Amino acid sequence: MNYLLRGEQDLLVQCLPGNLIDGVDANSPSPGCPLHHHHHHHHPPVLSDMSSPHGIKLAAHIISTNFGDIVCKVCECLLRKGPLSQIEVIRFTELTKQKVTNALLVLIHHNCLQAFTVQQPGGFGEPPKIMTKYMALPNNIIHHMRFPKFLSIVSDEFGQDCAEIFEGLLQHGRLSLNQNMDRYKDKHKASGENSSATNVVRENFGKLAQARYIERCPAHEPFLEPLEEGAKKRAKSKIADATQTLEARSLAAATPMESQRFLVEEDTLIGGALEDNKKSSITDIVGEKRKLEPETESWATNDHKEILWRVNFEELVRRLRHKSCVSRVTERVDSVAGIVLSAIFEASRKEETSVKTEKTVPLLLETIYEEAMKTEEGRSLTLERVRAALVQLGCELPTIGIDETYSIDLKKIIFQAQAQEVESIVLKKYGREAYRIFRLLSERERRIETDKISSTTFVEKKDALKILFQLWKDDYLNLERVGNEAQKMEIMLWELNKRSVWEQVLDDMYHAALNLKLRLVHELDHAQDLLKGKSLKEGDEAANMRKKAHDKWKVLEASFMILDDAIMLFHDF
């Protein structure tokens, strides 16, 4: 499914800066700068959120619409400056201590922030001190615009009762099992099913936890051990951006142990405080040996010392990634390949640990076949047909005599989808000849000289050069000039600057998404103003206007959802 071809590309192109070189972040080196000679990667680079100017603007817009301007000011400060202590936030935002405290609490409660403590070196002759820092989680913030997608996954799989519990967690950020019970009882008072309500909630809560769609809340302030010097240097060289390692480390330290993370225990149902021996299990979850201070304990638990739960975005993004892979394979190969891939995802669901799994876990042919047979569309398949589909999906046939296990290269499926998306943007922005040149460089994945590009793509050499320089200027290509002494001339070698292209495309998508969001807000305000201005007598006209506004709104919403699919393809998958 080429997401951006359905009219969304026009929106995207309207939103693009006229010349991307002007739209590039001022801090990034210019194309001629030696820093830009990246070696080519075979696969899409991992994009860090912080590098995208419009990603930050979009995240700030989402916070401001959901939680107001003060919370937005604090959050944007953290997004732009990286992890800060409370005192630093107060200094940068010039807000009162009370306002900053409240904003931080709101952001933590809605899973947009992670706090952690680190050891800071003391002043001259003073002992080191422990300091709490707060770090914005841009991914989680952007996930707020995907709540409808997440909700539909849960309601499709488990039905209305589960969806209700799940929706409560989306709305409120963090709730205990008892708070979920209370919400359910309030809502269903009229139907008089109070006695069974407890069972309904408990059962559905269990289903959600077992499917990993919800998880226990992370520890509030895990302590990060100082990195030893050697490890520091290693981390620096591996990941240029040190805050990314910090983000990964603090999230890992805060996550409950795997055995506890999805565990719904009886003690979470007790109204009052937990018994003392149970209480220790809460502090164990922190994954750190440090005893928690009483006030921080309440972030994994509430006043009654009940365990708090939240939505597990990771698992939902993984499901969306699976869906996306299946629909692309169905489109590119055929429906049987889609059914087989779907069966592989189902069978290996418990083994997958990270969202961006590169290859599926090796599975026996029989296992895949049995899983496919469980579905309506897979019942008619034969073992041979499943094997043939696996070969179409790029699996090597194993040598006979050993167990036939198969693993699918997901990274490749995702990359092909991304490349297709980028090619269509190049076509729209630079025209058909540029598209052919870009495609050649994208497929060959190595440096190619001008003459070869011109002859392979059937583009006149002078036109080809013009296009190549334009793409180079816009940071889509790297150029290397190689002198040839004998012939007193230099050869120009071109290659795709994949990292830069992918980052620009993603930033442009964030830009387009932000514009769509602002347009939605504008349309809504406009419609309300018009309706206020109408007197009630003109019933038909008012109804007509309502319908017009609603239709416009629906088109914008649908465009936004499709654009978001493309954003997820580049950033989350």
Side-chain angles (χ1 to χ4, degrees), residues 447-460:
R447 294 174 309 176
I448 306 178
E449 55 189 82
T450 317
D451 291 348
K452 183 90 193 284
I453 292 172
S454 161
S455 61
T456 314
T457 55
F458 305 112
V459 177
E460 280 287 327

Side-chain angles (χ1 to χ4, degrees), residues 63 67-75 93 95 99-100 102-103:
I63 293 292
F67 309 112
D69 292 344
I70 291 175
V71 177
C72 176
K73 197 170 184 183
V74 169
C75 187
T93 57
L95 293 167
K99 281 181 174 166
V100 169
N102 291 343

Side-chain angles (χ1 to χ4, degrees), residues 70-72 74 98-108 113:
I70 291 175
V71 177
C72 176
V74 169
Q98 192 52 54
K99 281 181 174 166
V100 169
T101 306
N102 291 343
L104 291 172
L105 291 177
V106 167
L107 289 165
I108 289 173
L113 200 66

Side-chain angles (χ1 to χ4, degrees), residues 485-553:
E485 280 304 303
Q487 288 154 350
K488 293 274 184 288
M489 57 176 276
E490 64 166 14
I491 296 171
M492 287 189 271
L493 294 173
W494 307 86
E495 72 170 348
L496 188 59
N497 183 351
K498 205 172 280 178
R499 186 179 184 98
S500 165
V501 175
W502 260 238
E503 280 179 358
Q504 285 185 51
V505 166
L506 181 63
D507 190 55
D508 292 340
M509 285 177 183
Y510 283 141
H511 193 169
L514 180 62
N515 285 355
L516 266 176
K517 278 268 178 223
L518 294 169
R519 177 80 186 276
L520 276 163
V521 173
H522 169 75
E523 290 295 340
L524 198 63
D525 292 349
H526 182 60
Q528 279 169 342
D529 289 348
L530 281 177
L531 286 170
K532 269 187 204 138
K534 289 279 163 201
S535 62
L536 290 173
K537 281 186 298 223
E538 306 163 78
D540 283 354
E541 197 181 342
N544 201 8
M545 277 166 49
R546 261 197 205 94
K547 185 179 172 343
K548 260 192 188 144
H550 183 67
D551 291 348
K552 213 174 209 176
W553 175 268

Side-chain angles (χ1 to χ4, degrees), residues 123-179:
F124 184 68
E126 288 172 4
K129 53 180 191 293
I130 299 288
M131 177 188 265
T132 299
K133 294 211 159 196
Y134 298 89
M135 176 176 67
L137 304 174
N139 288 353
N140 284 8
I141 295 170
I142 297 226
H143 286 327
H144 275 70
M145 65 189 196
R146 308 191 165 123
F147 284 3
K149 282 182 183 163
F150 295 160
L151 192 59
S152 79
I153 289 180
V154 171
S155 65
D156 288 352
E157 198 171 327
F158 293 124
Q160 191 45 41
D161 281 336
C162 263
E164 240 172 66
I165 294 173
F166 187 77
E167 193 172 12
L169 285 167
L170 286 175
Q171 266 169 13
H172 296 282
R174 304 179 169 205
L175 293 171
S176 71
L177 185 45
N178 275 324
Q179 286 167 319

